[in-house]
Amino acid sequence: MGNEQCIVFHFVWSITLHFYIIKEISINIEFFVVMVIILILIITFILLTYRNFIHKIILEKNIQHQQEIQHQKNNVIQGAKVQEEERKRIAQLIHDDIGNKLNILSVWLNNPNAWNNERSKEIVAKQIPELIEATRNISHALFPVNLEHYGMILTLEELIANIESSLTVHLIIVHPYTPGAMYFELQLYRIIQEYLSNVLKHAEASQMFIQLRDSSKYLCITLSDNGIGFDVNSASKGMGLRNIASRIKSMDAVYRWKSIKNKGSQLTIVIPKT
């Protein structure tokens, strides 16, 4: 009986062990399946997150690209407006100065009595130098030839010398000025010219300062006056200030306006050197 009991015990133990092993295998399979599902969920989450991240980057790039295109369009439009405004100003100069003087000369030259009258001869003789001066001014408005021949400093000195006596302009050179490319020189000259024109028209100033501070890393230009000042926010919509801003941006420069009522205005421009 002892052997039979032992056999039965071993049989029952084998059956129990077998079921235990099957149960362990089943638990392991369930654990493996759960881990696989969890891994799939994690990978899916990572892929979705990465997809959303890429989509966001692409969207931001598209928005940035559209903004750059719009910025370029605005620059082109602004440049066209600047050109049209300059053409309009030159057309007015031609009409008012040259046109009127030519009309006066035509009247006097077609009048037979003009050549027998000393006063008439004086008037005709006076109109010719004025006509030459008007032509020179218009030529200078189209392109300041002296800028190419004599450089920025001498051209500015000539510009200052021709300013009406009601405004005193001071040119201050902090460091020796190093000439740049002609396009750069022309834009800088036009900015100073535009500022000066605004001062003469609107500022009611008695003094204006042009300061050039040149260094190896940047060129700093400070334009200031002691006029009545203006509201920078509202005045920035005017054509004159828009022309200045457009030219500054074309040189990849930064600038800042400062104006206090009855204490004048100041424009600071910093142009990096590459």
Side-chain angles (χ1 to χ4, degrees):
M1 291 295 293
N3 291 333
E4 292 178 355
Q5 290 177 348
C6 185
I7 292 171
V8 170
F9 175 79
H10 281 292
F11 177 75
V12 172
W13 172 252
S14 298
I15 296 295
T16 304
L17 183 62
H18 178 72
F19 279 110
Y20 177 79
I21 292 172
I22 292 175
K23 185 177 180 181
E24 284 292 324
I25 292 172
S26 176
I27 292 172
N28 289 336
I29 291 173
E30 290 177 359
F31 178 77
F32 177 75
V33 170
V34 171
M35 291 302 295
V36 168
I37 293 173
I38 292 173
L39 184 61
I40 290 172
L41 290 175
I42 292 173
I43 293 172
T44 303
F45 174 77
I46 293 173
L47 289 175
L48 288 175
T49 303
Y50 179 75
R51 179 175 174 273
N52 291 334
F53 176 72
I54 295 298
H55 178 72
K56 184 178 179 181
I57 290 177
I58 293 173
L59 183 62
E60 290 177 351
K61 288 289 185 182
N62 289 335
I63 293 174
Q64 183 179 0
H65 180 65
Q66 292 298 324
Q67 289 175 343
E68 289 176 355
I69 292 175
Q70 187 60 44
H71 179 68
Q72 292 175 359
K73 288 181 179 179
N74 292 338
N75 286 342
V76 171
I77 293 172
Q78 186 61 37
K81 288 181 179 179
V82 170
Q83 290 181 356
E84 288 302 318
E85 185 66 18
E86 290 185 350
R87 289 171 182 170
K88 179 181 177 182
R89 181 166 59 88
I90 292 168
Q92 288 175 342
L93 286 173
I94 293 173
H95 177 271
D96 296 341
D97 288 350
I98 294 181
N100 290 338
K101 287 178 174 58
L102 286 174
N103 285 333
I104 293 172
L105 282 174
S106 176
V107 170
W108 284 102
L109 292 175
N110 289 321
N111 182 5
N113 296 325
W115 303 107
N116 299 322
N117 188 315
E118 290 298 326
R119 175 59 179 163
S120 300
K121 291 179 180 179
E122 289 178 7
I123 293 175
V124 172
K126 182 181 178 182
Q127 289 297 316
I128 293 175
E130 291 181 357
L131 186 60
I132 294 172
E133 181 64 18
T135 305
R136 192 190 71 82
N137 289 338
I138 292 172
S139 173
H140 190 75
L142 287 170
F143 185 84
V145 179
N146 288 345
L147 185 64
E148 188 173 16
H149 291 167
Y150 304 114
M152 173 66 70
I153 304 304
L154 290 178
T155 306
L156 287 176
E157 290 176 348
E158 181 196 24
L159 176 67
I160 293 170
N162 292 322
I163 298 301
E164 59 188 62
S165 59
S166 62
L167 178 67
T168 302
V169 181
H170 305 273
L171 178 60
I172 303 170
I173 312 297
V174 178
H175 297 119
Y177 176 75
T178 303
M182 182 49 57
Y183 173 80
F184 171 87
E185 299 264 289
L186 181 59
Q187 296 305 314
L188 181 57
Y189 178 79
R190 292 300 192 200
I191 290 169
I192 296 172
Q193 191 179 39
E194 189 75 48
Y195 187 100
L196 176 60
S197 176
N198 287 337
V199 170
L200 289 171
K201 291 178 182 177
H202 310 295
E204 300 179 18
S206 61
Q207 293 192 77
M208 175 180 163
F209 296 86
I210 304 171
Q211 184 183 90
L212 301 178
R213 183 186 296 271
D214 203 353
S215 71
S216 60
K217 294 183 179 180
Y218 62 86
L219 171 65
C220 180
I221 303 98
T222 304
L223 308 176
S224 59
D225 63 84
N226 64 346
I228 60 175
F230 62 93
D231 184 348
V232 174
N233 294 325
S234 61
S236 61
K237 299 177 182 178
M239 181 59 71
L241 267 63
R242 290 210 305 270
N243 289 352
I244 291 175
S246 178
R247 294 186 188 280
I248 293 173
K249 290 177 182 178
S250 71
M251 296 188 293
D252 295 326
V254 294
Y255 68 100
R256 182 173 66 93
W257 279 103
K258 181 181 178 181
S259 184
I260 301 175
K261 187 176 180 181
N262 297 323
K263 291 188 177 181
S265 306
Q266 178 177 292
L267 171 62
T268 303
I269 307 168
V270 178
I271 306 170
K273 291 186 176 181
T274 55

